[in-house]
Amino acid sequence: VTGNSIAPPALVLLFSAGLAGGACFTLIPHLCRDGEAQARANGAVAQMGNLGSSSGPPLMAALMVQFGMTGIVLPVLAFALLGVGLASWATRHHARRQR
């Protein structure tokens, strides 16, 4: 794997990660009405971002060393699908609560 072949998918992942984090922070005032809940939600999102930033690169490097590119692609796709599923569930749950 050369740097030129990995750069486009890596840039797409970085772009997507930036959008996801920004979307999380943007939705907090809509989903949490009182200030205390918003503060807790902002702290939780920030800490999960820190956890991902500190544990993600070593974990991905270990997976890549052990399994090659498949070791990166499959977990990323699995976590992305999990995230889409959780977001869909949360959206439906929130819509039901609003009725």
Side-chain angles (χ1 to χ4, degrees):
V1 177
T2 65
N4 291 337
S5 66
I6 194 84
L11 289 172
V12 169
L13 284 173
L14 287 170
F15 179 75
S16 300
L19 287 178
C24 288
F25 280 111
T26 302
L27 282 172
I28 288 173
H30 176 70
L31 298 174
C32 303
R33 297 293 180 197
D34 65 341
E36 184 179 335
Q38 288 180 9
R40 286 194 312 267
N42 277 316
V45 170
Q47 289 305 318
M48 290 301 107
N50 291 336
L51 179 64
S53 294
S54 62
S55 64
L59 177 62
M60 288 295 147
L63 289 170
M64 190 165 117
V65 167
Q66 187 70 27
F67 302 108
M69 283 305 291
T70 305
I72 292 180
V73 172
L74 292 179
V76 167
L77 286 176
F79 282 117
L81 289 173
L82 177 66
V84 168
L86 287 173
S88 298
W89 172 83
T91 301
R92 286 192 308 273
H93 180 72
H94 181 70
R96 270 188 249 126
R97 278 188 13 204
Q98 294 297 338
R99 290 184 206 164

